[in-house]
Amino acid sequence: FTSTRDLIKMWSLVKQNWSRARDPSSGIPTDVTFQVKDEEEFYEVKAHKYFLSLVSPVFKASFFGPLGGSTDTISINAPVEAVKAMINFIYLGETSWEMKSFEEIFEIALLADMYDVVGMMETVKECVDKLPISLGRVVETAHIADKFFFIYDLSELLLSKCTKFLSQVLCSHVLDFSGLFSKSEFASSAAMLHSLVLKVDLPDCSNCDHFPCLHGQLVPHEGWDATAEVGDDGWTLDQDVPCVPPGCLLTDEDGIHWTVFGYQPGLIFFNDESEGDLVIFVRKTTFNTDGNPHLHEGHDRNFVLGDDAVYFDCQKLGEPVKYHLLPDEDAMSF
């Protein structure tokens, strides 16, 4: 009886010996050479027919099929590093591809697909799934996926990854797609990515209940939506069309946060200067060390939109300001 521990130890030894087989000192001479043309340079990568045939039906047919047997060289146009990565994978070497670019990974995938190397495409997919995407290179990344469209599953995986990434970004930012790429060759990929993102059912911002999030945008003179129907008490009657709703966090020109707890259109002061303007009732808001908002009782004021420059602000330390933290309507001092 061989224990699992012994099997693991045996496999570890086999793996070490197998990975060393390409070393001339192993005493096992190579019998096939990849003649690699990488752009204008030529390279040679040596291997063993039996090792390659064990993991690839394509190599097996080429070396030992009816038309094989005498093939000692394989000519290939590919990046030499991709060929080396494939050979290292076959010889159970390291597959640390995390530092490679998406294009380099797809070049490896092209060989995995071409030679149908057992388990290699699955490893490539895992690597693509783990590699991070940045906003500055998301269009270029989509371009790479489109360039290798014939590796369908992997191309779709990367496009889906780009779309998901942009969808998450759009939940809190307004993007100009033209600013996401600098090369004209990426324009069609940007348009494709744009169309894919538009098909995603994106959530509204959890604080301003709006898509895209209004963070950093100036609250206009007429409020959020001039067509919203407002009742006598100053609250929006149509709850589906918010009009600077209670709980919305604003920032003034001095960077002070204020939480909205009421508003009223057409409020008339004694000087009559505010007639017809939208007045927002707000309370000063800071954040505790744990990120929770604290509304300061007695620190209330009003913003007359059009006179006061206030901005939507959803970039907070904690969760969105909850309605239950707001003062009761009866407690308003206005």
Side-chain angles (χ1 to χ4, degrees), residues 134-146:
S134 66
L135 185 59
R137 306 196 70 173
V138 64
V139 172
E140 181 182 350
T141 302
H143 178 76
I144 292 169
D146 191 38

Side-chain angles (χ1 to χ4, degrees), residues 303-318:
F303 289 128
V304 181
L305 296 185
D307 295 336
D308 296 293
V310 289
Y311 304 85
F312 292 105
D313 190 341
C314 291
Q315 297 284 327
K316 300 180 297 301
L317 301 178

Side-chain angles (χ1 to χ4, degrees), residues 11-214:
W11 174 244
S12 177
L13 292 173
V14 170
K15 181 177 179 180
Q16 291 178 19
N17 290 330
W18 198 340
S19 61
R20 293 170 184 165
R22 290 168 58 227
D23 191 322
S25 64
S26 68
I28 306 174
T30 58
D31 54 1
V32 64
T33 301
F34 286 87
Q35 294 183 335
V36 184
K37 183 181 180 182
D38 185 348
E39 296 182 349
E40 299 302 320
E41 299 292 330
F42 289 88
Y43 304 88
E44 288 189 349
V45 179
K46 298 183 179 295
H48 302 84
K49 294 180 180 180
Y50 280 103
F51 282 30
L52 302 183
S53 300
L54 284 172
V55 296
S56 166
V58 177
F59 285 134
K60 181 179 179 181
S62 177
F63 299 142
F64 304 109
L67 302 178
S70 60
T71 303
D72 296 327
T73 60
I74 297 176
S75 299
I76 181 173
N77 292 330
V80 66
E81 291 303 319
V83 177
K84 289 180 179 179
M86 177 183 69
I87 298 301
N88 286 338
F89 180 85
I90 292 173
Y91 279 80
L92 303 178
E94 293 298 323
T95 56
S96 53
W97 301 336
E98 292 79 7
M99 300 304 294
K100 293 185 179 294
S101 68
F102 280 110
E103 185 152 14
E104 290 172 330
I105 293 295
F106 269 77
E107 293 288 0
I108 295 172
L110 189 59
L111 297 178
D113 184 62
M114 182 186 303
Y115 294 109
D116 195 17
V117 179
V118 174
M120 189 170 173
M121 186 61 79
E122 287 72 19
T123 303
V124 170
K125 289 180 180 177
E126 290 176 3
C127 186
V128 167
D129 197 42
K130 291 178 182 178
L131 283 177
I133 293 179
S134 66
L135 185 59
R137 306 196 70 173
V138 64
V139 172
E140 181 182 350
T141 302
H143 178 76
I144 292 169
D146 191 38
K147 176 182 176 181
F148 290 90
F149 71 92
F150 42 85
I151 312 178
Y152 182 77
D153 288 346
L154 194 63
S155 176
E156 287 295 303
L157 174 64
L158 187 54
L159 278 178
S160 175
K161 187 180 176 77
C162 291
T163 304
K164 182 178 179 181
F165 171 79
L166 268 186
S167 299
Q168 293 171 340
V169 171
L170 279 169
C171 288
S172 58
H173 294 76
V174 178
L175 290 182
D176 176 6
F177 274 73
S178 64
L180 294 181
F181 62 95
S182 56
K183 297 181 180 179
S184 58
E185 62 183 295
F186 297 157
S188 60
S189 298
M192 173 189 63
L193 194 56
H194 190 192
S195 65
L196 290 173
V197 170
L198 289 176
K199 296 177 182 178
V200 177
D201 186 15
L202 298 172
D204 291 344
C205 171
S206 58
N207 189 55
C208 61
D209 296 326
H210 191 274
F211 175 81
C213 173
L214 295 173

